[in-house]
Amino acid sequence: MKLFVSEGNPHCLKVLAALELTAVKCDVQYVNHEDKVVQFLSHPALPAVLLPNGQQLFSANAICRYLFEVSGQNCNDHCNQWLEWEVTVLQPALLRALRTAVLQGKGSDVSQILQSPLNFLDQSLLKGSKPYLTGEAVSVADVVLWATLHPILSDSSFTIGEHPSVKAWFDQVAAVHSCQSAVQKVLQGKGLQAMKSYMQRQPAPPNSQCRDAQPCNNNPAESEERQHSVSEEECEEAALTWSKGLSSCPATDKQHPILPQEGKRNVLVTSALPYVNNVPHLGNIIGCVLSADVFSRYGRLRGWNMLFVCGTDEYGTATENKAREEGLTPQQICDKYHAVHSSIYSWFQIDFDFFGRTTTEKQTEIAQNIFWRLHEHGYLVEDTVEQLRCENCQRFLADRFVEGTCPHCSYPEARGDQCDKCGRLINAVELRDPQCKVCRQTPVIRSSKHLFLDLPKLESQLEQWLEKSTSTGDWTTNAKQITHSWIRDGLKPRCITRDLHWGTPVPHPDFKEKVFYVWFDAPIGYLSITANYTNEWEKWWKNPQQVELYNFMAKDNVPFHSVVFPCSLLGAQDNYTLVNHLVATEYLNYEDTKFSKSRGIGVFGDMAKDTGIPSDVWRFYLLYVRPEGQDSAFSWADMAMKNNSELLNNLGNFINRAGMFVTKFFEGCVPVMELQREDKELLAVVGWELQQYIQLMDKVKIRDALKHILNISRHGNQYIQVNQPWKKIKGEESERLRAGTVTGVAVNIACLLSVMLSPYMPLVSQTIRDQLNAPQSCIYTMLQGGGTFVCSLSAGHRIGTVSPLFQKLEAEQIEALKKRFGGQQAPLQSTSSTPAAAPVAAIKVAAVEGGHSEKAEQLAKALAEQGDKVRALKAQKAEKDVIAAEVSKLLELKTQLAVAEGKNPEPTSKKGKKK
Amino acid sequence: MALRELSSLEKYLGLKKPNKYSTQGDKKVPVLQNNQGPPLVGLITIACHLVKEAKRSDLLGESAESRAVVQQWLEYRVSRLDGCTKEDSKTILKELNIHLQDNVYLAGNHFTLADTLMYYGIHPLIVDLTVQEKEQYLNVARWFDHIQHVPRLRHHLLPVVVLRNRIYTGRHH
């Protein structure tokens, strides 16, 4: 065993005293303060011990404990308590005292800093009426506390008040020989000054006031961003804006067809076309349609002239495949799934101006037109490709229709594009013993002529355009990076034709029987879908001077939108509108894994509504975890937490309180408001958050902007909490007026919140305005320019009926959903899975269906039965595991009963529910 | 907070009768009223007492060495982790991450009370980590995930999702 100490380090005092007192054999080595003995600690920690078993001790108290224990003196509860007190109370106070005394030379402050711990120690010694802390003999607690106090108590220059019991005890311990010799070794007779170099190297102790300000809350916006401090001018400006009132903006409902207008900001929004044969999962939804929806709703509120189009991408091998599986024609498959997609998006309230599809005549017309123009301008080249053809099925086999032995690892079931075993990419013709997946016959290699888009020839044009677009538009970082790496790696000609049936036919006579490859065909869908919406589609798509184009997608789709499709359009040379803003999300993971349709993991669009959770709450949570700038994860527990803490306790609570105060205290009419400095300050803070929101939304930072909405309701809650209108309303006239002002300001903030929420939660937003009976013009007023927070509900305005906006998501409900949707984490109870697990589950279901009191009754009965069962097992001396399993079920039932009786066994949010 | 930890610890230890606790001071230091003697004060003190009461002294370490190591980490929990600032929390995660690189549990190869209390204490920090940060503190994440799955331990805390598949294995092109 080896002990490392440094001179002038007060912590070494206790260790050396303990070492000598216990006479444990140990090497002592003196090192510098800066020497790192324990490698993983960021600050050098001394004293430190290297134990015989190789482990290290870096806490002086633990070392002392160890020395005492090895010499046969164990620590009891009482002794533990003193050591814990020393670490949590005495040491921090003492270090602060030493800092002021040694480094700042303010010896006079020492007494005040140490007053309270010394009083406590004095009282305890007096009450204990024993000579030492834990009894009649010196214990580890005495040595540790003595050593900590030594630098101050042994120095007569400090006046620290009367503590007779402390003094008696201290002198007694100090007289122990080991303690005296330790002092000599560490401080070398130099007293406090010996510690100077040690103290200078210590990090500043945290301020005692901040110690309780925990960093640990669940809202990043709250902890990361400093509170915006408000100046006098900002307050006055906010008050002035507030007094302006609503502008009489004509509420223009949109009239189809929407076309670009002179003098307006004309914005065309597309979201990546979902592939028709897959039911979209939450990751797909947040990645494209939901994000695009929020932005286009926002744009409309800003008064921009918006057109939002999307549709299903329907051609390709996968559709043919699916049709074969389900015994339908490809067209029937498309019809079926197009309807599925449509209904999912309408449940999610995706407000498309037009939701079309790619299997239309317009698609053929426009795609073939682009093809001929590319052909005319010499951007298409011919080449032959070797492909597998199944003579039995009479068709060329797409990669996924071939199976065979992997040429790399000899895995017998390798697919035509990739080997599942070694993961390497395979060229289908390289497979050994290839088989047609449909008929199991051996295909033959045939060469077939194809057309390629000559990307290298278009490269310089593309780069020129890219430079302009990425520097003037809002491209997400990932979009820029992915595009950049494609260009850097060099562009190669890309095949645009395929030997398939289900696709847009290639019009060239040398290539009949062939269709366009989906990557070439699908993005043209944006144009053809718009053409199906309006005959004047070219006003949007051949009008880069007037139109700004936003593309929304997940990052895997970036290269097709930033490189390949722009090349098609550039090569066609017809003044096409190219993307100005490319907005790509990262991936959303499900719990701790990926969404997987084949394994049934995750939540799919069609199931979301079966969860019973409102569409608006889904939208909120998905947008709250929108993978903006980084991947994120969907988690049920987190969803429940965000719903309960943010929607219910923060946002919903504030809006509801504001409305209720108007109803209860002012007969439903907004009271007269006389703004004080404090109110103006709030207006300025709220106004600032509104500006942040607008700046972020303009840049399509949808998730970040959401945080500012939640900040506003947090400010609002605080404001109500501090001003307590429910108390003031009972006071005298001036107090009542104050209650009125606070209520009026609060209810106006609620109105502002409804506007800001509108793109995120359209239904809730409208419900708030209905409850407040707010004029529609408030929507258009507040989001003008940089954001104007005006008083839209003036004194005398009568509000409607106020009711709660959100519901709590209960832990059991969430557990059930998690199980149902194949989350990976099994709930705790199932770790003790025994055959008798069924009854609990059955009761759970019954409980959910039954009424509130009925449910409690049922549970109480089940609980009693389970209790009897456990007692019986114990009486029979059944096996431990069996009993444990039954006990855990008993506990589970207890929890459920508590929930059913309206008690809260596991509060989900540590922020207590405010009044 | 500390009281909830203690009641979860009681459940984990399988103690029959729940104890009555109160708190003292601004920092809400837990106090256990004790029939046999004066009340016990302080999270570690009470936790160690409960462990002994449950006859699970193995959780405090099997040898003098490991007992000292366990106490040291308990001390780390209340002195370093509790009330740490945002900045401290990064240092703590970094330190723990290095320490846990070649230690299964805080005190070596055995699960101890130190793991339990550190888990309870560090939970709010972990909840706040982003996916990338959890990867940055990979060893802490692994240890945390392991501890939260110890049967009957988690109780008052929500499970935190720790991704087992690394997202950022290399540069995406």
Side-chain angles (χ1 to χ4, degrees):
Chain A
M1 180 165 88
K2 193 161 183 175
L3 171 65
F4 298 86
V5 291
S6 64
E7 276 173 14
N9 175 338
H11 300 296
C12 294
L13 204 54
K14 48 178 99 155
V15 179
L16 288 172
L19 183 65
E20 193 164 325
L21 196 65
T22 56
V24 174
K25 216 170 141 296
C26 176
D27 292 333
V28 179
Q29 186 177 340
Y30 284 82
V31 293
N32 291 323
H33 299 309
E34 300 293 296
D35 286 348
K36 253 194 171 186
V37 178
V38 182
Q39 288 304 327
F40 71 86
L41 294 177
S42 311
H43 293 290
L46 289 170
V49 157
L50 184 59
L51 289 169
N53 66 2
Q55 284 184 304
Q56 289 170 321
L57 294 178
F58 54 85
S59 133
N61 288 12
I63 297 172
C64 292
R65 243 174 214 284
Y66 174 68
L67 294 170
F68 271 83
E69 189 178 340
V70 180
S71 70
Q73 300 171 57
N74 286 342
C75 230
N76 59 18
D77 282 346
H78 198 189
C79 180
N80 277 339
Q81 186 170 320
W82 277 119
L83 291 177
E84 183 170 357
W85 180 75
E86 193 267 348
V87 160
T88 52
V89 180
L90 186 61
Q91 247 188 58
L94 211 104
L95 281 176
R96 224 164 51 242
L98 280 178
R99 259 189 110 69
T100 48
V102 179
L103 296 183
Q104 296 159 7
K106 285 192 267 177
S108 49
D109 291 355
V110 167
S111 134
Q112 197 232 323
I113 297 172
L114 292 180
Q115 208 50 246
S116 137
L118 284 178
N119 284 344
F120 174 76
L121 184 59
D122 204 54
Q123 289 296 314
S124 305
L125 283 163
L126 192 66
K127 257 191 275 171
S129 64
K130 300 257 172 59
Y132 296 102
L133 287 172
T134 59
E136 304 294 337
V138 173
S139 73
V140 60
D142 295 297
V143 174
V144 166
L145 265 74
W146 160 80
T148 304
L149 286 167
H150 174 86
I152 300 294
L153 291 193
S154 65
D155 193 321
S156 52
S157 64
F158 296 116
T159 45
I160 49 161
E162 285 293 298
H163 303 286
S165 305
V166 171
K167 188 169 183 337
W169 161 83
F170 181 81
D171 290 345
Q172 218 167 338
V173 183
V176 175
H177 175 263
S178 314
C179 294
Q180 289 176 355
S181 86
V183 170
Q184 188 51 37
K185 283 177 197 157
V186 175
L187 302 180
Q188 308 200 314
K190 285 186 263 178
L192 278 184
Q193 285 314 307
M195 291 179 219
K196 196 161 182 174
S197 84
Y198 170 79
M199 292 303 298
Q200 281 164 343
R201 286 172 171 81
Q202 297 310 300
N207 193 324
S208 63
Q209 276 89 33
C210 325
R211 276 186 75 87
D212 293 318
Q214 295 264 342
C216 324
N217 56 57
N218 293 317
N219 189 292
E222 204 177 41
S223 56
E224 280 163 18
E225 282 163 34
R226 273 178 301 125
Q227 177 95 25
H228 177 67
S229 61
V230 190
S231 71
E232 193 69 39
E233 296 98 73
E234 284 173 303
C235 285
E236 289 310 320
E237 213 177 286
L240 188 68
T241 309
W242 161 270
S243 64
K244 277 183 189 154
L246 296 172
S247 57
S248 53
C249 185
T252 44
D253 276 335
K254 55 180 177 183
Q255 287 195 331
H256 293 294
I258 301 165
L259 292 173
Q261 290 171 28
E262 190 67 45
K264 278 225 172 187
R265 185 172 175 200
N266 298 299
V267 179
L268 176 55
V269 175
T270 70
S271 84
L273 306 181
Y275 201 69
V276 77
N277 76 337
N278 279 327
V279 178
H281 58 60
L282 296 182
N284 304 139
I285 290 170
I286 185 64
C288 49
V289 292
L290 182 52
S291 297
D293 178 59
V294 172
F295 185 71
S296 57
R297 282 173 185 272
Y298 169 78
R300 271 179 228 132
L301 296 183
R302 291 280 272 160
W304 304 335
N305 185 35
M306 311 284 293
L307 179 69
F308 175 23
V309 292
C310 186
T312 41
D313 169 16
E314 309 195 337
Y315 284 129
T317 333
T319 308
E320 281 190 346
N321 198 13
K322 189 86 179 177
R324 197 166 292 115
E325 258 171 40
E326 298 197 9
L328 298 170
T329 65
Q331 186 61 56
Q332 285 171 319
I333 282 290
C334 292
D335 294 347
K336 177 179 161 189
Y337 281 93
H338 176 79
V340 169
H341 275 265
S342 229
S343 80
I344 288 170
Y345 300 140
S346 85
W347 187 78
F348 275 98
Q349 307 172 69
I350 309 296
D351 192 13
F352 301 116
D353 291 307
F354 188 72
F355 185 70
R357 43 203 303 188
T358 55
T359 51
T360 63
E361 276 172 31
K362 292 281 182 205
Q363 175 76 12
T364 309
E365 190 185 302
I366 296 170
Q368 293 188 346
N369 174 265
I370 290 176
F371 167 84
W372 280 123
R373 297 187 68 95
L374 286 168
H375 188 74
E376 269 167 39
H377 295 113
Y379 290 116
L380 297 180
V381 288
E382 241 181 73
D383 201 358
T384 46
V385 178
E386 292 197 322
Q387 263 184 303
L388 292 173
R389 183 178 162 88
C390 179
E391 296 293 1
N392 187 42
C393 300
Q394 290 274 308
R395 60 192 191 110
F396 284 96
L397 297 178
D399 294 345
R400 63 180 81 188
F401 286 110
V402 201
E403 247 178 33
T405 305
C406 173
H408 306 289
C409 72
S410 300
Y411 177 66
E413 287 166 48
R415 287 176 291 132
D417 49 355
Q418 196 175 16
C419 172
D420 278 338
K421 189 155 180 235
C422 69
R424 266 175 277 209
L425 296 178
I426 299 170
N427 200 341
V429 291
E430 294 168 0
L431 276 178
R432 299 205 303 261
D433 310 319
Q435 276 189 345
C436 167
K437 256 180 102 174
V438 179
C439 68
R440 292 290 155 197
Q441 299 286 314
T442 306
V444 293
I445 296 180
R446 279 288 168 80
S447 53
S448 162
K449 244 184 359 174
H450 282 279
L451 280 168
F452 288 73
L453 179 60
D454 195 350
L455 294 179
K457 202 167 168 183
L458 286 156
E459 194 167 328
S460 68
Q461 276 187 66
L462 177 76
E463 275 189 80
Q464 223 178 350
W465 164 75
L466 269 176
E467 202 184 305
K468 189 165 149 259
S469 181
T470 55
S471 59
T472 53
D474 292 321
W475 287 52
T476 51
T477 315
N478 55 359
K480 284 190 220 172
Q481 276 169 353
I482 293 168
T483 306
H484 178 73
S485 68
W486 264 58
I487 306 271
R488 188 196 54 210
D489 295 348
L491 298 177
K492 294 162 203 68
R494 240 188 126 81
C495 187
I496 64 165
T497 51
R498 303 228 76 191
D499 292 294
L500 281 181
H501 302 295
W502 188 240
T504 303
V506 179
H508 197 289
D510 297 352
F511 299 89
K512 36 179 200 189
E513 304 287 299
K514 292 186 200 292
V515 300
F516 288 126
Y517 214 141
V518 279
W519 67 258
F520 175 77
D521 190 55
I524 295 173
Y526 295 134
L527 282 59
S528 74
I529 288 167
T530 315
N532 279 306
Y533 166 70
T534 167
N535 285 330
E536 297 173 88
W537 66 276
E538 292 181 348
K539 286 193 175 164
W540 284 106
W541 284 101
K542 293 185 183 176
N543 190 2
Q545 297 78 14
Q546 273 194 319
V547 174
E548 269 181 71
L549 174 58
Y550 281 81
N551 285 165
F552 284 81
M553 70 204 68
K555 70 174 173 193
D556 50 349
N557 243 322
V558 167
F560 298 102
H561 290 80
S562 67
V563 176
V564 181
F565 185 49
C567 277
S568 302
L569 295 182
L570 285 168
Q573 297 178 6
D574 205 7
N575 193 31
Y576 284 105
T577 306
L578 298 179
V579 61
N580 301 90
H581 312 275
L582 205 158
V583 185
T585 54
E586 302 282 326
Y587 296 130
L588 178 72
N589 291 284
Y590 180 75
E591 298 280 342
D592 57 358
T593 177
K594 285 201 166 158
F595 281 93
S596 164
K597 178 75 183 165
S598 54
R599 286 183 296 143
I601 291 176
V603 186
F604 293 83
D606 51 345
M607 304 171 185
K609 63 166 171 274
D610 301 340
T611 58
I613 297 169
S615 154
D616 269 12
V617 173
W618 275 109
R619 287 175 62 110
F620 167 81
Y621 182 64
L622 289 175
L623 292 161
Y624 193 100
V625 296
R626 180 171 189 260
E628 199 168 285
Q630 63 184 49
D631 283 12
S632 65
F634 172 93
S635 129
W636 286 105
D638 187 47
M639 175 161 174
M641 194 161 83
K642 294 293 153 19
N643 176 73
N644 297 342
S645 65
E646 290 294 4
L647 289 183
L648 191 67
N649 288 346
N650 174 12
L651 188 71
N653 184 41
F654 170 70
I655 293 172
N656 193 245
R657 283 167 103 191
M660 285 313 288
F661 290 155
V662 176
T663 309
K664 269 197 343 216
F665 304 143
F666 302 97
E667 287 87 41
C669 286
V670 175
V672 173
M673 292 161 266
E674 281 182 15
L675 300 183
Q676 310 285 316
R677 157 88 201 188
E678 188 190 348
D679 309 312
K680 293 178 183 172
E681 233 167 70
L682 179 72
L683 296 186
V685 169
V686 169
W688 182 81
E689 300 280 1
L690 172 63
Q691 284 162 18
Q692 299 303 305
Y693 165 90
I694 287 182
Q695 282 170 21
L696 289 165
M697 278 302 243
D698 279 357
K699 296 275 171 205
V700 211
K701 304 267 186 223
I702 296 172
R703 189 195 58 191
D704 291 347
L706 178 55
K707 306 272 151 91
H708 291 281
I709 302 181
L710 298 170
N711 282 352
I712 290 181
S713 58
R714 248 187 293 279
H715 293 311
N717 273 320
Q718 249 169 31
Y719 174 71
I720 292 184
Q721 208 55 31
V722 168
N723 286 294
Q724 305 188 309
W726 63 90
K727 274 194 194 154
K728 295 218 167 88
I729 191 71
K730 295 181 192 130
E732 54 193 62
E733 191 50 37
S734 66
E735 297 240 289
R736 291 174 57 84
L737 181 64
R738 188 74 202 125
T741 304
V742 170
T743 303
V745 169
V747 80
N748 268 290
I749 293 177
C751 186
L752 170 70
L753 283 170
S754 88
V755 175
M756 295 170 78
L757 272 178
S758 168
Y760 294 86
M761 306 174 87
L763 265 182
V764 167
S765 162
Q766 190 54 50
T767 308
I768 298 170
R769 280 192 300 282
D770 290 347
Q771 291 189 3
L772 300 180
N773 194 20
Q776 274 315 87
S777 58
C778 69
I779 308 179
Y780 302 96
T781 308
M782 308 237 221
L783 296 186
Q784 294 317 304
T788 44
F789 177 28
V790 301
C791 175
S792 52
L793 308 175
S794 44
H797 170 88
R798 179 166 289 280
I799 68 167
T801 313
V802 176
S803 60
L805 296 165
F806 303 106
Q807 275 189 331
K808 186 169 181 196
L809 286 175
E810 300 291 350
E812 53 192 310
Q813 192 183 350
I814 283 298
E815 278 301 318
L817 288 170
K818 197 169 175 179
K819 262 192 208 153
R820 199 164 124 204
F821 292 101
Q824 296 289 286
Q825 292 184 330
L828 280 182
Q829 285 76 21
S830 70
T831 46
S832 54
S833 64
T834 54
V840 178
I843 291 160
K844 227 177 188 170
V845 173
V848 173
E849 286 164 356
H852 221 58
S853 60
E854 194 186 330
K855 171 179 169 183
E857 230 165 76
Q858 263 177 336
L859 282 166
K861 192 160 161 262
L863 184 64
E865 282 168 11
Q866 186 69 16
D868 289 341
K869 191 170 178 186
V870 169
R871 273 187 290 279
L873 283 170
K874 280 186 180 162
Q876 297 158 15
K877 300 219 162 28
E879 273 180 53
K880 237 182 179 173
D881 295 354
V882 178
I883 296 181
E886 294 302 330
V887 169
S888 78
K889 255 178 264 159
L890 184 68
L891 293 176
E892 159 78 349
L893 282 171
K894 273 190 187 163
T895 322
Q896 287 184 21
L897 181 60
V899 172
E901 286 173 339
K903 295 171 199 155
N904 191 0
E906 282 193 343
T908 38
S909 160
K910 62 180 173 163
K911 285 176 204 152
K913 201 174 172 183
K914 288 165 196 150
K915 190 189 148 91
Chain B
M1 197 56 203
L3 297 195
R4 262 198 248 154
E5 276 182 52
L6 287 170
S7 101
S8 293
L9 179 65
E10 280 178 356
K11 287 179 200 148
Y12 167 69
L13 291 169
L15 289 172
K16 304 272 160 8
K17 272 186 297 182
N19 286 300
K20 288 231 162 55
Y21 300 100
S22 51
T23 60
Q24 71 180 33
D26 299 341
K27 290 185 197 154
K28 301 236 181 325
V29 178
V31 178
L32 170 61
Q33 297 302 330
N34 195 341
N35 293 336
Q36 285 101 46
L40 290 176
V41 185
L43 180 66
I44 305 182
T45 307
I46 298 174
C48 290
H49 173 80
L50 294 177
V51 167
K52 281 181 228 155
E53 202 180 347
K55 308 228 175 342
R56 289 294 307 277
S57 293
D58 56 302
L59 291 176
L60 296 175
E62 304 270 25
S63 63
E65 281 88 5
S66 55
R67 276 190 285 277
V69 174
V70 170
Q71 288 299 329
Q72 150 168 300
W73 284 110
L74 292 173
E75 181 185 322
Y76 187 98
R77 151 74 210 263
V78 292
S79 62
R80 294 281 311 277
L81 186 59
D82 288 357
C84 69
T85 63
K86 191 99 191 166
E87 215 168 296
D88 294 339
S89 73
K90 299 282 177 250
T91 313
I92 291 171
L93 287 167
K94 201 172 128 207
E95 292 183 355
L96 287 178
N97 197 47
I98 304 173
H99 177 66
L100 288 167
Q101 192 163 1
D102 38 33
N103 284 283
V104 182
Y105 298 100
L106 285 177
N109 294 325
H110 298 281
F111 173 78
T112 64
L113 181 65
D115 295 300
T116 312
L117 290 199
M118 191 72 86
Y119 161 70
Y120 290 151
I122 210 166
H123 188 275
L125 252 63
I126 303 286
V127 166
D128 269 1
L129 294 185
T130 60
V131 178
Q132 285 91 336
E133 283 168 323
K134 280 185 204 147
E135 285 195 356
Q136 189 187 343
Y137 306 115
L138 191 65
N139 302 312
V140 176
R142 181 262 308 153
W143 165 84
F144 184 90
D145 198 31
H146 192 52
I147 304 299
Q148 72 176 348
H149 285 93
V150 168
R152 303 192 308 279
L153 186 83
R154 187 165 54 83
H155 286 290
H156 67 285
L157 297 170
L158 286 167
V160 176
V161 173
V162 176
L163 295 178
R164 291 192 201 100
N165 47 339
R166 281 183 76 101
I167 296 173
Y168 297 95
T169 41
R171 303 280 316 151
H172 285 282
H173 77 98

